Amino acid sequence: MRQHELPTPYYIIYEDRLRHNLELISDVAERAGVKIIMAFKANALWRTFPIIREYITDSTASSINEMKLGNEFLRGDVHSYCPAYTPQTIGEYLQGSSHLTFNSLSQWKAYAPVVNSYNSLDGVRHVSPGLRVNPKCSVIETDIYNPALPGSRFGVSSAEIGEKLPDGIEGLHFHALCESTSYDLEKVMAAFEEQFGHLLHQVKWVNMGGGHLMTREGYDTGHLVDLLRGFRSRHPWLQVILEPGSAFTWRTGDLVTSVVDIVENDGINTAIVDVSFACHMPDTLEMPYKPVISEAVEPAEGLTPYRLGGNSCLSGDFMGDWTFPRRLEKGDRLTLEDMNHYTTVKTTMFNGIQHPDMVLCDSHGECHYLRRFTYDDYKSRMS
């Protein structure tokens, strides 16, 4: 089946674009001598994992469900981090993780005996414990995505730790980026080394978290490689780990929708479409940002601007304005670009709105359904 034959709405993932990103990420990892692992929080579309597994097998998990997904489908190491483990979850995390990062000294104190006991069960099993630290270097403008804000709940400060790490900690983890550049990482890395450099001889690995958007056009991968090589030359005993999310699926897929009605009120033309910003593109409202539409053009005299309205009853489920080469009509298809990261993992069924279909377009241009949603999917969420 070809793309134009598919009924809307649907998310479409392009295999050739996905492979391009994976090849770039693998190349950076090899040139820099670091391990790059996949973060499921940005994309957990496991039906595409057979492609990803050809390049990357290790992952990072922030929940037991993500940990299980990594073990089942990527089948490599799983580096788990959760802001707060509980007596009910710690055992399962230990069984399914290769690395386990703790968010606070009190969490490590509470579960160090459990970790040590697990690691000594048969002399073979070993989960490597780490501690998340906060270098307090803020390079993110949008507060909702900034883990380094004053008063952040994420990570331990250098002052809290002092001169020596708690016994048993084998790694340090920091995460302070979001769709950031290598020059942002350079600032955070400098703050990290300044505040925590005296502790690095006590650990085996450093995880530099996510937010490294190395597949974005214009990203300076050469600078990133030099930066990582420099860090490794200063600390050659350390394994360096990066866990980008968006970089894996950046610009690898779109959301295709159709205009189902056009209404005009107070001089504003709204094209109502068969998707929802609130349900299917929540980051456009949370971030917020205005997605690119392939069919849109720059505003010009004589062209009518349109607001797009989602098909839920939420009053704020709209965004604008876009202009098009001609007036929109019912049935027109619109392509909202770059909708394969932080979209499908955040979709909701608010209002009972049906999820768009999931489609993979292979390297030959043939489209295959990965998933089609039904009433039973909605019903199961409510049970």
Side-chain angles (χ1 to χ4, degrees):
M1 185 181 299
R2 293 289 173 166
Q3 185 174 346
H4 70 272
E5 300 174 306
L6 300 170
T8 64
Y10 58 86
Y11 295 102
I12 185 163
I13 300 95
Y14 302 99
E15 181 180 351
D16 55 349
R17 299 185 195 177
L18 180 58
R19 288 188 182 276
H20 174 270
N21 284 1
L22 293 165
E23 287 165 3
L24 185 150
I25 291 168
S26 299
D27 180 64
V28 167
E30 182 177 355
R31 289 161 56 203
V34 301
K35 175 180 280 193
I36 300 181
I37 64 181
M38 183 182 179
F40 293 147
K41 65 182 179 181
N43 186 285
L45 189 53
W46 55 268
R47 293 180 189 270
T48 64
F49 286 7
I51 298 170
I52 294 169
R53 196 169 58 237
E54 294 179 30
Y55 303 84
I56 302 288
T57 60
D58 299 331
S59 59
T60 178
S62 298
S63 65
I64 286 176
N65 285 336
E66 287 186 344
M67 179 194 75
K68 289 180 175 179
L69 206 65
N71 283 316
E72 184 175 355
F73 292 104
L74 289 189
R75 304 170 191 164
D77 288 345
V78 177
H79 299 238
S80 295
Y81 161 77
C82 180
Y85 304 105
T86 68
Q88 292 75 34
T89 62
I90 188 65
E92 198 163 0
Y93 272 110
L94 285 169
Q95 291 173 22
S97 306
S98 59
H99 298 65
L100 199 61
T101 295
F102 291 83
N103 186 59
S104 66
L105 293 174
S106 60
Q107 277 269 296
W108 171 243
K109 182 178 180 181
Y111 295 111
V114 183
V115 174
N116 293 335
S117 176
Y118 180 84
N119 281 340
S120 63
L121 278 176
D122 54 17
V124 176
R125 307 181 192 190
H126 185 77
V127 177
S128 186
L131 187 67
R132 179 165 177 169
V133 295
N134 189 341
K136 298 186 176 180
C137 180
S138 183
V139 295
I140 301 171
E141 294 181 0
T142 306
D143 285 352
I144 193 174
Y145 298 113
N146 189 351
L149 282 174
S152 171
R153 72 188 190 279
F154 295 126
V156 183
S157 70
S158 176
E160 286 181 88
I161 296 172
E163 293 302 311
K164 186 177 183 301
L165 285 166
D167 291 341
I169 292 294
E170 297 182 353
L172 294 179
H173 175 121
F174 67 85
H175 176 72
L177 304 179
C178 176
E179 298 185 357
S180 302
T181 69
S182 60
Y183 298 92
D184 293 325
L185 174 61
E186 187 171 27
K187 296 173 186 175
V188 174
M189 186 185 292
F192 170 73
E193 288 188 272
E194 179 182 354
Q195 297 170 47
F196 301 97
H198 65 289
L199 303 173
L200 293 181
H201 68 281
Q202 301 174 38
V203 296
K204 301 175 181 178
W205 53 267
V206 166
N207 186 325
M208 297 186 178
H212 315 273
L213 194 46
M214 61 188 75
T215 52
R216 178 165 51 191
E217 184 178 358
Y219 186 100
D220 193 341
T221 54
H223 179 252
L224 174 64
V225 169
D226 290 344
L227 198 61
L228 295 171
R229 283 177 173 171
F231 183 88
R232 290 183 57 244
S233 70
R234 294 189 295 276
H235 316 288
W237 63 93
L238 291 176
Q239 180 185 50
V240 177
I241 303 155
L242 279 68
E243 49 180 45
S246 296
F248 276 79
T249 51
W250 184 259
R251 297 201 63 80
T252 59
D254 304 321
L255 176 56
V256 182
T257 183
S258 292
V259 176
V260 293
D261 195 14
I262 296 174
V263 299
E264 190 274 331
N265 274 307
D266 299 323
I268 296 174
N269 290 278
T270 299
I272 299 177
V273 292
D274 57 5
V275 294
S276 161
F277 290 97
C279 296
H280 307 138
M281 304 165 275
D283 265 4
T284 64
L285 302 181
E286 289 178 8
M287 189 75 169
Y289 76 94
K290 181 181 174 182
V292 173
I293 295 179
S294 302
E295 295 78 9
V297 297
E298 290 296 317
E301 186 176 352
L303 296 182
T304 301
Y306 288 88
R307 172 185 288 179
L308 294 193
N311 62 344
S312 80
C313 69
L314 176 68
S315 298
D317 189 4
F318 70 88
M319 184 165 288
D321 290 311
W322 289 271
T323 53
F324 300 88
R326 59 171 177 78
R327 294 187 68 88
L328 290 180
E329 299 176 356
K330 296 177 186 179
D332 284 342
R333 291 194 174 205
L334 303 177
T335 306
L336 293 104
E337 296 183 6
D338 199 18
M339 290 292 168
N340 193 29
H341 61 91
Y342 287 107
T343 48
T344 55
V345 291
K346 284 189 170 186
T347 56
T348 74
M349 283 190 165
F350 166 71
N351 247 188
I353 300 295
Q354 195 77 289
H355 282 343
D357 297 328
M358 305 281 193
V359 176
L360 177 66
C361 180
D362 66 24
S363 55
H364 304 291
E366 286 293 321
C367 297
H368 312 274
Y369 283 113
L370 301 179
R371 177 75 185 273
R372 305 192 78 177
F373 295 89
T374 68
Y375 163 69
D376 288 335
D377 296 299
Y378 172 65
K379 185 173 70 172
S380 66
R381 285 198 174 197
M382 301 299 106
S383 59

